Amino acid sequence: MNQLKKLLIIGSVWPEPNSSAAGSRMLQLISLFKEEGFGITLASPATDSDFMFDLEEIDVVKKTIVLNCSSFDAFVKELDPSIVLFDRFMMEEQFGWRVSENCPDALRLLDTEDLHCLRLARQKAFKEKRQFKIADLLMEEVAKREIASLLRCDLSLMISEYEMELLTDTFKIDSCLLFYLPFLLEPLTNADLDLLPSFEERKNFVFIGNFLHEPNWNAVQYLKETMWSKIKKQLPEAVLNVYGAYPSQKVLQLNNVKEGFLIRGRAANANEVVEQARVVLAPLRFGAGIKGKLLEAMYCGTPSVTTTIGAESMHGNLDWNGFISDDVEAFAKHAVQLYQVEALWLKAQENGIEIINHRYLKRLFDADFKEKIKYLQANLEQHRLNNFMGSLLQHHTLKSTKYMSMWIEGKNKV
């Protein structure tokens, strides 16, 4: 195959679209490159899971790789990809120097998913019971690693406009190194809405989210300990169904039939359970990126109540498909209103469709993204000359990370 049409994706995990939005995101990116005729290999050091997507179905080669092992060098040199996409900055840290050394002319892309340093800094501030400040980011150790990774790559894909602003304004990242590429969806029409369950046909509340993700676990605790009783008091027949992949024993222990707080575990089909619910609850108190669960709710025609963090960067100047509140009493009040008042519910549903059709359609972004990739491939040398800080970090990282990795590999052989 022509070297110009080979893409290597280095994933932190194998895609699980039914477990997390990140899995769906990866399949969307694969689809974009398949449309351009790329032969794609997805490599990961992760162990296989029962829920991983069958990559053979979409003609993607699956390759298991090993951390701190020179076997990757031989693999990537033989593959000789023209583009390498790192799934999260940790994969660039581990394998970026090897790619740079063995395939120096390959375009290096980073899919950030969200800014990890922002999520961790907010989480730390929350647990220390203080307000998050931008200055917290500058002191976050992960920020130094993550920003260095962004600078070493030729282009980083961002799903949040707020995070792009943080990178350009706070960290002074050149905008030419960033590309806004949110979740990519097909349009929703009135005909699509007619196929969805109506207000009368739906019942109960739902929360859905991967429990390996700390903000989701915290939100479920918050619902159980603080919010659900306020809602249940006004709607005694209502039930909150909590779905999510990889629930721990701590999560399972929250199940309480008498209180109508039901831990359901992994959803076989996330869309189906969200479509059957009347309202999605997502009281997220820290996090980053844009929330797949809330976008999914809009696509399923299900209004939601969330927090400022939950809705961050998702709706622009458009009205939310429900309510946004950080106050416990107001959150509960809005949840009950949405549940009881059909006119309010229908308006919220319409708002969600507006958000999808104005901010997340694939056709709004795919052509520009493909052109950007072609431009960078044609002008890669000059692009890298313009990114001196990236070259500097690449030089020093190549040295330090290379010898650390070689030391670990040598130690493992003893």
mmCIF file with all atom_site columns, all heavy atoms in Angstrom, residues 32 36 155 157 178-181 184 362-376:
data_model
loop_
_atom_site.group_PDB
_atom_site.id
_atom_site.type_symbol
_atom_site.label_atom_id
_atom_site.label_alt_id
_atom_site.label_comp_id
_atom_site.label_asym_id
_atom_site.label_entity_id
_atom_site.label_seq_id
_atom_site.pdbx_PDB_ins_code
_atom_site.Cartn_x
_atom_site.Cartn_y
_atom_site.Cartn_z
_atom_site.occupancy
_atom_site.B_iso_or_equiv
_atom_site.pdbx_formal_charge
_atom_site.auth_seq_id
_atom_site.auth_comp_id
_atom_site.auth_asym_id
_atom_site.auth_atom_id
_atom_site.pdbx_PDB_model_num
ATOM 1   N N   . LEU A 1 32  ? -13.280 8.751  9.482  1.00 0.00 ? 32  LEU A N   1
ATOM 2   C CA  . LEU A 1 32  ? -12.782 9.879  8.679  1.00 0.00 ? 32  LEU A CA  1
ATOM 3   C C   . LEU A 1 32  ? -11.603 9.459  7.814  1.00 0.00 ? 32  LEU A C   1
ATOM 4   O O   . LEU A 1 32  ? -11.524 9.810  6.630  1.00 0.00 ? 32  LEU A O   1
ATOM 5   C CB  . LEU A 1 32  ? -12.355 11.030 9.594  1.00 0.00 ? 32  LEU A CB  1
ATOM 6   C CG  . LEU A 1 32  ? -13.444 11.848 10.275 1.00 0.00 ? 32  LEU A CG  1
ATOM 7   C CD1 . LEU A 1 32  ? -12.816 12.938 11.138 1.00 0.00 ? 32  LEU A CD1 1
ATOM 8   C CD2 . LEU A 1 32  ? -14.377 12.476 9.251  1.00 0.00 ? 32  LEU A CD2 1
ATOM 9   N N   . GLU A 1 36  ? -10.880 8.573  3.388  1.00 0.00 ? 36  GLU A N   1
ATOM 10  C CA  . GLU A 1 36  ? -9.777  9.094  2.574  1.00 0.00 ? 36  GLU A CA  1
ATOM 11  C C   . GLU A 1 36  ? -8.892  7.968  2.030  1.00 0.00 ? 36  GLU A C   1
ATOM 12  O O   . GLU A 1 36  ? -7.838  8.238  1.444  1.00 0.00 ? 36  GLU A O   1
ATOM 13  C CB  . GLU A 1 36  ? -8.935  10.066 3.409  1.00 0.00 ? 36  GLU A CB  1
ATOM 14  C CG  . GLU A 1 36  ? -9.651  11.347 3.753  1.00 0.00 ? 36  GLU A CG  1
ATOM 15  C CD  . GLU A 1 36  ? -10.034 12.139 2.502  1.00 0.00 ? 36  GLU A CD  1
ATOM 16  O OE1 . GLU A 1 36  ? -9.131  12.700 1.851  1.00 0.00 ? 36  GLU A OE1 1
ATOM 17  O OE2 . GLU A 1 36  ? -11.242 12.175 2.166  1.00 0.00 ? 36  GLU A OE2 1
ATOM 18  N N   . LEU A 1 155 ? -0.082  18.214 15.490 1.00 0.00 ? 155 LEU A N   1
ATOM 19  C CA  . LEU A 1 155 ? -1.442  18.730 15.612 1.00 0.00 ? 155 LEU A CA  1
ATOM 20  C C   . LEU A 1 155 ? -2.159  17.956 16.712 1.00 0.00 ? 155 LEU A C   1
ATOM 21  O O   . LEU A 1 155 ? -2.040  16.736 16.800 1.00 0.00 ? 155 LEU A O   1
ATOM 22  C CB  . LEU A 1 155 ? -2.212  18.549 14.291 1.00 0.00 ? 155 LEU A CB  1
ATOM 23  C CG  . LEU A 1 155 ? -3.567  19.263 14.202 1.00 0.00 ? 155 LEU A CG  1
ATOM 24  C CD1 . LEU A 1 155 ? -3.360  20.785 14.116 1.00 0.00 ? 155 LEU A CD1 1
ATOM 25  C CD2 . LEU A 1 155 ? -4.359  18.768 12.990 1.00 0.00 ? 155 LEU A CD2 1
ATOM 26  N N   . LEU A 1 157 ? -5.949  17.259 18.470 1.00 0.00 ? 157 LEU A N   1
ATOM 27  C CA  . LEU A 1 157 ? -7.386  17.342 18.234 1.00 0.00 ? 157 LEU A CA  1
ATOM 28  C C   . LEU A 1 157 ? -8.093  17.627 19.547 1.00 0.00 ? 157 LEU A C   1
ATOM 29  O O   . LEU A 1 157 ? -7.902  16.910 20.526 1.00 0.00 ? 157 LEU A O   1
ATOM 30  C CB  . LEU A 1 157 ? -7.895  16.034 17.626 1.00 0.00 ? 157 LEU A CB  1
ATOM 31  C CG  . LEU A 1 157 ? -7.107  15.512 16.418 1.00 0.00 ? 157 LEU A CG  1
ATOM 32  C CD1 . LEU A 1 157 ? -7.745  14.233 15.879 1.00 0.00 ? 157 LEU A CD1 1
ATOM 33  C CD2 . LEU A 1 157 ? -6.988  16.568 15.336 1.00 0.00 ? 157 LEU A CD2 1
ATOM 34  N N   . LEU A 1 178 ? -3.410  23.271 17.089 1.00 0.00 ? 178 LEU A N   1
ATOM 35  C CA  . LEU A 1 178 ? -4.674  22.764 17.631 1.00 0.00 ? 178 LEU A CA  1
ATOM 36  C C   . LEU A 1 178 ? -5.743  22.717 16.553 1.00 0.00 ? 178 LEU A C   1
ATOM 37  O O   . LEU A 1 178 ? -5.772  23.563 15.661 1.00 0.00 ? 178 LEU A O   1
ATOM 38  C CB  . LEU A 1 178 ? -5.153  23.656 18.779 1.00 0.00 ? 178 LEU A CB  1
ATOM 39  C CG  . LEU A 1 178 ? -4.158  23.938 19.912 1.00 0.00 ? 178 LEU A CG  1
ATOM 40  C CD1 . LEU A 1 178 ? -4.733  24.965 20.871 1.00 0.00 ? 178 LEU A CD1 1
ATOM 41  C CD2 . LEU A 1 178 ? -3.793  22.648 20.641 1.00 0.00 ? 178 LEU A CD2 1
ATOM 42  N N   . PHE A 1 179 ? -6.635  21.737 16.669 1.00 0.00 ? 179 PHE A N   1
ATOM 43  C CA  . PHE A 1 179 ? -7.754  21.653 15.732 1.00 0.00 ? 179 PHE A CA  1
ATOM 44  C C   . PHE A 1 179 ? -8.998  21.219 16.491 1.00 0.00 ? 179 PHE A C   1
ATOM 45  O O   . PHE A 1 179 ? -8.997  20.184 17.160 1.00 0.00 ? 179 PHE A O   1
ATOM 46  C CB  . PHE A 1 179 ? -7.450  20.660 14.604 1.00 0.00 ? 179 PHE A CB  1
ATOM 47  C CG  . PHE A 1 179 ? -8.431  20.732 13.463 1.00 0.00 ? 179 PHE A CG  1
ATOM 48  C CD1 . PHE A 1 179 ? -8.207  21.587 12.396 1.00 0.00 ? 179 PHE A CD1 1
ATOM 49  C CD2 . PHE A 1 179 ? -9.587  19.968 13.469 1.00 0.00 ? 179 PHE A CD2 1
ATOM 50  C CE1 . PHE A 1 179 ? -9.120  21.671 11.339 1.00 0.00 ? 179 PHE A CE1 1
ATOM 51  C CE2 . PHE A 1 179 ? -10.511 20.043 12.427 1.00 0.00 ? 179 PHE A CE2 1
ATOM 52  C CZ  . PHE A 1 179 ? -10.267 20.893 11.362 1.00 0.00 ? 179 PHE A CZ  1
ATOM 53  N N   . TYR A 1 180 ? -10.052 22.032 16.385 1.00 0.00 ? 180 TYR A N   1
ATOM 54  C CA  . TYR A 1 180 ? -11.309 21.730 17.073 1.00 0.00 ? 180 TYR A CA  1
ATOM 55  C C   . TYR A 1 180 ? -12.081 20.672 16.293 1.00 0.00 ? 180 TYR A C   1
ATOM 56  O O   . TYR A 1 180 ? -12.494 20.902 15.156 1.00 0.00 ? 180 TYR A O   1
ATOM 57  C CB  . TYR A 1 180 ? -12.138 23.012 17.211 1.00 0.00 ? 180 TYR A CB  1
ATOM 58  C CG  . TYR A 1 180 ? -13.492 22.804 17.855 1.00 0.00 ? 180 TYR A CG  1
ATOM 59  C CD1 . TYR A 1 180 ? -13.603 22.270 19.134 1.00 0.00 ? 180 TYR A CD1 1
ATOM 60  C CD2 . TYR A 1 180 ? -14.668 23.152 17.184 1.00 0.00 ? 180 TYR A CD2 1
ATOM 61  C CE1 . TYR A 1 180 ? -14.840 22.090 19.729 1.00 0.00 ? 180 TYR A CE1 1
ATOM 62  C CE2 . TYR A 1 180 ? -15.913 22.975 17.772 1.00 0.00 ? 180 TYR A CE2 1
ATOM 63  C CZ  . TYR A 1 180 ? -15.992 22.440 19.040 1.00 0.00 ? 180 TYR A CZ  1
ATOM 64  O OH  . TYR A 1 180 ? -17.221 22.256 19.638 1.00 0.00 ? 180 TYR A OH  1
ATOM 65  N N   . LEU A 1 181 ? -12.231 19.519 16.891 1.00 0.00 ? 181 LEU A N   1
ATOM 66  C CA  . LEU A 1 181 ? -12.945 18.407 16.254 1.00 0.00 ? 181 LEU A CA  1
ATOM 67  C C   . LEU A 1 181 ? -13.768 17.699 17.324 1.00 0.00 ? 181 LEU A C   1
ATOM 68  O O   . LEU A 1 181 ? -13.314 16.741 17.949 1.00 0.00 ? 181 LEU A O   1
ATOM 69  C CB  . LEU A 1 181 ? -11.949 17.443 15.598 1.00 0.00 ? 181 LEU A CB  1
ATOM 70  C CG  . LEU A 1 181 ? -12.539 16.405 14.647 1.00 0.00 ? 181 LEU A CG  1
ATOM 71  C CD1 . LEU A 1 181 ? -13.039 17.078 13.366 1.00 0.00 ? 181 LEU A CD1 1
ATOM 72  C CD2 . LEU A 1 181 ? -11.509 15.332 14.297 1.00 0.00 ? 181 LEU A CD2 1
ATOM 73  N N   . LEU A 1 184 ? -18.732 13.774 16.173 1.00 0.00 ? 184 LEU A N   1
ATOM 74  C CA  . LEU A 1 184 ? -19.256 13.977 14.819 1.00 0.00 ? 184 LEU A CA  1
ATOM 75  C C   . LEU A 1 184 ? -20.508 13.132 14.627 1.00 0.00 ? 184 LEU A C   1
ATOM 76  O O   . LEU A 1 184 ? -20.445 11.905 14.622 1.00 0.00 ? 184 LEU A O   1
ATOM 77  C CB  . LEU A 1 184 ? -18.187 13.588 13.788 1.00 0.00 ? 184 LEU A CB  1
ATOM 78  C CG  . LEU A 1 184 ? -16.821 14.264 13.975 1.00 0.00 ? 184 LEU A CG  1
ATOM 79  C CD1 . LEU A 1 184 ? -15.790 13.658 13.044 1.00 0.00 ? 184 LEU A CD1 1
ATOM 80  C CD2 . LEU A 1 184 ? -16.930 15.768 13.770 1.00 0.00 ? 184 LEU A CD2 1
ATOM 81  N N   . LYS A 1 362 ? -21.262 16.042 11.501 1.00 0.00 ? 362 LYS A N   1
ATOM 82  C CA  . LYS A 1 362 ? -20.013 15.620 10.867 1.00 0.00 ? 362 LYS A CA  1
ATOM 83  C C   . LYS A 1 362 ? -19.646 16.529 9.698  1.00 0.00 ? 362 LYS A C   1
ATOM 84  O O   . LYS A 1 362 ? -18.489 16.914 9.532  1.00 0.00 ? 362 LYS A O   1
ATOM 85  C CB  . LYS A 1 362 ? -20.162 14.168 10.400 1.00 0.00 ? 362 LYS A CB  1
ATOM 86  C CG  . LYS A 1 362 ? -18.939 13.620 9.686  1.00 0.00 ? 362 LYS A CG  1
ATOM 87  C CD  . LYS A 1 362 ? -19.195 12.218 9.183  1.00 0.00 ? 362 LYS A CD  1
ATOM 88  C CE  . LYS A 1 362 ? -18.044 11.728 8.326  1.00 0.00 ? 362 LYS A CE  1
ATOM 89  N NZ  . LYS A 1 362 ? -18.318 10.409 7.730  1.00 0.00 ? 362 LYS A NZ  1
ATOM 90  N N   . ARG A 1 363 ? -20.640 16.908 8.911  1.00 0.00 ? 363 ARG A N   1
ATOM 91  C CA  . ARG A 1 363 ? -20.368 17.701 7.713  1.00 0.00 ? 363 ARG A CA  1
ATOM 92  C C   . ARG A 1 363 ? -19.854 19.110 8.025  1.00 0.00 ? 363 ARG A C   1
ATOM 93  O O   . ARG A 1 363 ? -19.320 19.783 7.141  1.00 0.00 ? 363 ARG A O   1
ATOM 94  C CB  . ARG A 1 363 ? -21.614 17.772 6.835  1.00 0.00 ? 363 ARG A CB  1
ATOM 95  C CG  . ARG A 1 363 ? -22.772 18.546 7.434  1.00 0.00 ? 363 ARG A CG  1
ATOM 96  C CD  . ARG A 1 363 ? -23.934 18.651 6.461  1.00 0.00 ? 363 ARG A CD  1
ATOM 97  N NE  . ARG A 1 363 ? -25.028 19.433 7.005  1.00 0.00 ? 363 ARG A NE  1
ATOM 98  C CZ  . ARG A 1 363 ? -26.290 19.039 7.015  1.00 0.00 ? 363 ARG A CZ  1
ATOM 99  N NH1 . ARG A 1 363 ? -26.627 17.861 6.532  1.00 0.00 ? 363 ARG A NH1 1
ATOM 100 N NH2 . ARG A 1 363 ? -27.233 19.826 7.512  1.00 0.00 ? 363 ARG A NH2 1
ATOM 101 N N   . LEU A 1 364 ? -19.994 19.553 9.272  1.00 0.00 ? 364 LEU A N   1
ATOM 102 C CA  . LEU A 1 364 ? -19.475 20.866 9.658  1.00 0.00 ? 364 LEU A CA  1
ATOM 103 C C   . LEU A 1 364 ? -17.957 20.852 9.822  1.00 0.00 ? 364 LEU A C   1
ATOM 104 O O   . LEU A 1 364 ? -17.319 21.910 9.812  1.00 0.00 ? 364 LEU A O   1
ATOM 105 C CB  . LEU A 1 364 ? -20.113 21.335 10.975 1.00 0.00 ? 364 LEU A CB  1
ATOM 106 C CG  . LEU A 1 364 ? -21.624 21.574 10.981 1.00 0.00 ? 364 LEU A CG  1
ATOM 107 C CD1 . LEU A 1 364 ? -22.093 21.899 12.396 1.00 0.00 ? 364 LEU A CD1 1
ATOM 108 C CD2 . LEU A 1 364 ? -22.002 22.678 10.005 1.00 0.00 ? 364 LEU A CD2 1
ATOM 109 N N   . PHE A 1 365 ? -17.378 19.666 9.997  1.00 0.00 ? 365 PHE A N   1
ATOM 110 C CA  . PHE A 1 365 ? -15.960 19.587 10.356 1.00 0.00 ? 365 PHE A CA  1
ATOM 111 C C   . PHE A 1 365 ? -15.106 18.684 9.469  1.00 0.00 ? 365 PHE A C   1
ATOM 112 O O   . PHE A 1 365 ? -13.896 18.898 9.366  1.00 0.00 ? 365 PHE A O   1
ATOM 113 C CB  . PHE A 1 365 ? -15.824 19.082 11.810 1.00 0.00 ? 365 PHE A CB  1
ATOM 114 C CG  . PHE A 1 365 ? -16.570 19.904 12.812 1.00 0.00 ? 365 PHE A CG  1
ATOM 115 C CD1 . PHE A 1 365 ? -17.831 19.514 13.254 1.00 0.00 ? 365 PHE A CD1 1
ATOM 116 C CD2 . PHE A 1 365 ? -16.027 21.082 13.300 1.00 0.00 ? 365 PHE A CD2 1
ATOM 117 C CE1 . PHE A 1 365 ? -18.531 20.282 14.173 1.00 0.00 ? 365 PHE A CE1 1
ATOM 118 C CE2 . PHE A 1 365 ? -16.719 21.853 14.228 1.00 0.00 ? 365 PHE A CE2 1
ATOM 119 C CZ  . PHE A 1 365 ? -17.973 21.454 14.666 1.00 0.00 ? 365 PHE A CZ  1
ATOM 120 N N   . ASP A 1 366 ? -15.711 17.679 8.844  1.00 0.00 ? 366 ASP A N   1
ATOM 121 C CA  . ASP A 1 366 ? -14.864 16.656 8.221  1.00 0.00 ? 366 ASP A CA  1
ATOM 122 C C   . ASP A 1 366 ? -14.033 17.177 7.053  1.00 0.00 ? 366 ASP A C   1
ATOM 123 O O   . ASP A 1 366 ? -12.854 16.835 6.920  1.00 0.00 ? 366 ASP A O   1
ATOM 124 C CB  . ASP A 1 366 ? -15.676 15.427 7.816  1.00 0.00 ? 366 ASP A CB  1
ATOM 125 C CG  . ASP A 1 366 ? -16.774 15.722 6.809  1.00 0.00 ? 366 ASP A CG  1
ATOM 126 O OD1 . ASP A 1 366 ? -17.084 16.903 6.579  1.00 0.00 ? 366 ASP A OD1 1
ATOM 127 O OD2 . ASP A 1 366 ? -17.325 14.750 6.248  1.00 0.00 ? 366 ASP A OD2 1
ATOM 128 N N   . ALA A 1 367 ? -14.607 18.032 6.217  1.00 0.00 ? 367 ALA A N   1
ATOM 129 C CA  . ALA A 1 367 ? -13.861 18.544 5.056  1.00 0.00 ? 367 ALA A CA  1
ATOM 130 C C   . ALA A 1 367 ? -12.669 19.393 5.498  1.00 0.00 ? 367 ALA A C   1
ATOM 131 O O   . ALA A 1 367 ? -11.552 19.241 4.973  1.00 0.00 ? 367 ALA A O   1
ATOM 132 C CB  . ALA A 1 367 ? -14.779 19.352 4.147  1.00 0.00 ? 367 ALA A CB  1
ATOM 133 N N   . ASP A 1 368 ? -12.885 20.265 6.479  1.00 0.00 ? 368 ASP A N   1
ATOM 134 C CA  . ASP A 1 368 ? -11.793 21.114 6.977  1.00 0.00 ? 368 ASP A CA  1
ATOM 135 C C   . ASP A 1 368 ? -10.689 20.274 7.616  1.00 0.00 ? 368 ASP A C   1
ATOM 136 O O   . ASP A 1 368 ? -9.499  20.576 7.463  1.00 0.00 ? 368 ASP A O   1
ATOM 137 C CB  . ASP A 1 368 ? -12.322 22.126 8.001  1.00 0.00 ? 368 ASP A CB  1
ATOM 138 C CG  . ASP A 1 368 ? -13.123 23.243 7.348  1.00 0.00 ? 368 ASP A CG  1
ATOM 139 O OD1 . ASP A 1 368 ? -13.035 23.380 6.105  1.00 0.00 ? 368 ASP A OD1 1
ATOM 140 O OD2 . ASP A 1 368 ? -13.829 23.960 8.070  1.00 0.00 ? 368 ASP A OD2 1
ATOM 141 N N   . PHE A 1 369 ? -11.093 19.237 8.345  1.00 0.00 ? 369 PHE A N   1
ATOM 142 C CA  . PHE A 1 369 ? -10.098 18.377 8.982  1.00 0.00 ? 369 PHE A CA  1
ATOM 143 C C   . PHE A 1 369 ? -9.242  17.667 7.931  1.00 0.00 ? 369 PHE A C   1
ATOM 144 O O   . PHE A 1 369 ? -8.004  17.627 8.035  1.00 0.00 ? 369 PHE A O   1
ATOM 145 C CB  . PHE A 1 369 ? -10.792 17.357 9.880  1.00 0.00 ? 369 PHE A CB  1
ATOM 146 C CG  . PHE A 1 369 ? -9.856  16.341 10.475 1.00 0.00 ? 369 PHE A CG  1
ATOM 147 C CD1 . PHE A 1 369 ? -8.876  16.723 11.380 1.00 0.00 ? 369 PHE A CD1 1
ATOM 148 C CD2 . PHE A 1 369 ? -9.946  15.003 10.123 1.00 0.00 ? 369 PHE A CD2 1
ATOM 149 C CE1 . PHE A 1 369 ? -7.995  15.796 11.929 1.00 0.00 ? 369 PHE A CE1 1
ATOM 150 C CE2 . PHE A 1 369 ? -9.082  14.069 10.665 1.00 0.00 ? 369 PHE A CE2 1
ATOM 151 C CZ  . PHE A 1 369 ? -8.106  14.461 11.563 1.00 0.00 ? 369 PHE A CZ  1
ATOM 152 N N   . LYS A 1 370 ? -9.884  17.130 6.930  1.00 0.00 ? 370 LYS A N   1
ATOM 153 C CA  . LYS A 1 370 ? -9.144  16.413 5.886  1.00 0.00 ? 370 LYS A CA  1
ATOM 154 C C   . LYS A 1 370 ? -8.197  17.350 5.139  1.00 0.00 ? 370 LYS A C   1
ATOM 155 O O   . LYS A 1 370 ? -7.067  16.981 4.787  1.00 0.00 ? 370 LYS A O   1
ATOM 156 C CB  . LYS A 1 370 ? -10.126 15.743 4.926  1.00 0.00 ? 370 LYS A CB  1
ATOM 157 C CG  . LYS A 1 370 ? -10.888 14.584 5.571  1.00 0.00 ? 370 LYS A CG  1
ATOM 158 C CD  . LYS A 1 370 ? -12.045 14.105 4.704  1.00 0.00 ? 370 LYS A CD  1
ATOM 159 C CE  . LYS A 1 370 ? -12.851 13.023 5.409  1.00 0.00 ? 370 LYS A CE  1
ATOM 160 N NZ  . LYS A 1 370 ? -14.029 12.606 4.619  1.00 0.00 ? 370 LYS A NZ  1
ATOM 161 N N   . GLU A 1 371 ? -8.647  18.577 4.904  1.00 0.00 ? 371 GLU A N   1
ATOM 162 C CA  . GLU A 1 371 ? -7.780  19.563 4.238  1.00 0.00 ? 371 GLU A CA  1
ATOM 163 C C   . GLU A 1 371 ? -6.588  19.935 5.114  1.00 0.00 ? 371 GLU A C   1
ATOM 164 O O   . GLU A 1 371 ? -5.473  20.109 4.628  1.00 0.00 ? 371 GLU A O   1
ATOM 165 C CB  . GLU A 1 371 ? -8.584  20.830 3.889  1.00 0.00 ? 371 GLU A CB  1
ATOM 166 C CG  . GLU A 1 371 ? -9.449  20.688 2.654  1.00 0.00 ? 371 GLU A CG  1
ATOM 167 C CD  . GLU A 1 371 ? -8.654  20.287 1.422  1.00 0.00 ? 371 GLU A CD  1
ATOM 168 O OE1 . GLU A 1 371 ? -7.616  20.927 1.146  1.00 0.00 ? 371 GLU A OE1 1
ATOM 169 O OE2 . GLU A 1 371 ? -9.057  19.311 0.759  1.00 0.00 ? 371 GLU A OE2 1
ATOM 170 N N   . LYS A 1 372 ? -6.823  20.055 6.410  1.00 0.00 ? 372 LYS A N   1
ATOM 171 C CA  . LYS A 1 372 ? -5.746  20.380 7.351  1.00 0.00 ? 372 LYS A CA  1
ATOM 172 C C   . LYS A 1 372 ? -4.678  19.289 7.339  1.00 0.00 ? 372 LYS A C   1
ATOM 173 O O   . LYS A 1 372 ? -3.476  19.572 7.330  1.00 0.00 ? 372 LYS A O   1
ATOM 174 C CB  . LYS A 1 372 ? -6.325  20.528 8.765  1.00 0.00 ? 372 LYS A CB  1
ATOM 175 C CG  . LYS A 1 372 ? -5.300  20.865 9.845  1.00 0.00 ? 372 LYS A CG  1
ATOM 176 C CD  . LYS A 1 372 ? -4.823  22.302 9.736  1.00 0.00 ? 372 LYS A CD  1
ATOM 177 C CE  . LYS A 1 372 ? -3.982  22.704 10.931 1.00 0.00 ? 372 LYS A CE  1
ATOM 178 N NZ  . LYS A 1 372 ? -3.539  24.107 10.857 1.00 0.00 ? 372 LYS A NZ  1
ATOM 179 N N   . ILE A 1 373 ? -5.104  18.047 7.322  1.00 0.00 ? 373 ILE A N   1
ATOM 180 C CA  . ILE A 1 373 ? -4.160  16.932 7.301  1.00 0.00 ? 373 ILE A CA  1
ATOM 181 C C   . ILE A 1 373 ? -3.333  16.959 6.021  1.00 0.00 ? 373 ILE A C   1
ATOM 182 O O   . ILE A 1 373 ? -2.106  16.783 6.047  1.00 0.00 ? 373 ILE A O   1
ATOM 183 C CB  . ILE A 1 373 ? -4.913  15.585 7.437  1.00 0.00 ? 373 ILE A CB  1
ATOM 184 C CG1 . ILE A 1 373 ? -5.615  15.493 8.802  1.00 0.00 ? 373 ILE A CG1 1
ATOM 185 C CG2 . ILE A 1 373 ? -3.957  14.407 7.246  1.00 0.00 ? 373 ILE A CG2 1
ATOM 186 C CD1 . ILE A 1 373 ? -4.711  15.633 10.002 1.00 0.00 ? 373 ILE A CD1 1
ATOM 187 N N   . LYS A 1 374 ? -3.997  17.180 4.895  1.00 0.00 ? 374 LYS A N   1
ATOM 188 C CA  . LYS A 1 374 ? -3.282  17.230 3.612  1.00 0.00 ? 374 LYS A CA  1
ATOM 189 C C   . LYS A 1 374 ? -2.282  18.385 3.597  1.00 0.00 ? 374 LYS A C   1
ATOM 190 O O   . LYS A 1 374 ? -1.157  18.251 3.103  1.00 0.00 ? 374 LYS A O   1
ATOM 191 C CB  . LYS A 1 374 ? -4.277  17.379 2.465  1.00 0.00 ? 374 LYS A CB  1
ATOM 192 C CG  . LYS A 1 374 ? -5.092  16.126 2.198  1.00 0.00 ? 374 LYS A CG  1
ATOM 193 C CD  . LYS A 1 374 ? -6.159  16.379 1.138  1.00 0.00 ? 374 LYS A CD  1
ATOM 194 C CE  . LYS A 1 374 ? -7.043  15.148 0.953  1.00 0.00 ? 374 LYS A CE  1
ATOM 195 N NZ  . LYS A 1 374 ? -8.180  15.416 0.041  1.00 0.00 ? 374 LYS A NZ  1
ATOM 196 N N   . TYR A 1 375 ? -2.696  19.519 4.131  1.00 0.00 ? 375 TYR A N   1
ATOM 197 C CA  . TYR A 1 375 ? -1.801  20.684 4.173  1.00 0.00 ? 375 TYR A CA  1
ATOM 198 C C   . TYR A 1 375 ? -0.564  20.396 5.026  1.00 0.00 ? 375 TYR A C   1
ATOM 199 O O   . TYR A 1 375 ? 0.567   20.705 4.631  1.00 0.00 ? 375 TYR A O   1
ATOM 200 C CB  . TYR A 1 375 ? -2.555  21.896 4.736  1.00 0.00 ? 375 TYR A CB  1
ATOM 201 C CG  . TYR A 1 375 ? -1.661  23.096 4.956  1.00 0.00 ? 375 TYR A CG  1
ATOM 202 C CD1 . TYR A 1 375 ? -1.320  23.938 3.901  1.00 0.00 ? 375 TYR A CD1 1
ATOM 203 C CD2 . TYR A 1 375 ? -1.106  23.356 6.217  1.00 0.00 ? 375 TYR A CD2 1
ATOM 204 C CE1 . TYR A 1 375 ? -0.471  25.021 4.093  1.00 0.00 ? 375 TYR A CE1 1
ATOM 205 C CE2 . TYR A 1 375 ? -0.264  24.423 6.421  1.00 0.00 ? 375 TYR A CE2 1
ATOM 206 C CZ  . TYR A 1 375 ? 0.047   25.253 5.352  1.00 0.00 ? 375 TYR A CZ  1
ATOM 207 O OH  . TYR A 1 375 ? 0.911   26.314 5.541  1.00 0.00 ? 375 TYR A OH  1
ATOM 208 N N   . LEU A 1 376 ? -0.781  19.817 6.196  1.00 0.00 ? 376 LEU A N   1
ATOM 209 C CA  . LEU A 1 376 ? 0.353   19.523 7.077  1.00 0.00 ? 376 LEU A CA  1
ATOM 210 C C   . LEU A 1 376 ? 1.298   18.500 6.445  1.00 0.00 ? 376 LEU A C   1
ATOM 211 O O   . LEU A 1 376 ? 2.519   18.619 6.569  1.00 0.00 ? 376 LEU A O   1
ATOM 212 C CB  . LEU A 1 376 ? -0.149  19.006 8.422  1.00 0.00 ? 376 LEU A CB  1
ATOM 213 C CG  . LEU A 1 376 ? -0.799  20.041 9.344  1.00 0.00 ? 376 LEU A CG  1
ATOM 214 C CD1 . LEU A 1 376 ? -1.324  19.376 10.605 1.00 0.00 ? 376 LEU A CD1 1
ATOM 215 C CD2 . LEU A 1 376 ? 0.185   21.145 9.706  1.00 0.00 ? 376 LEU A CD2 1
#
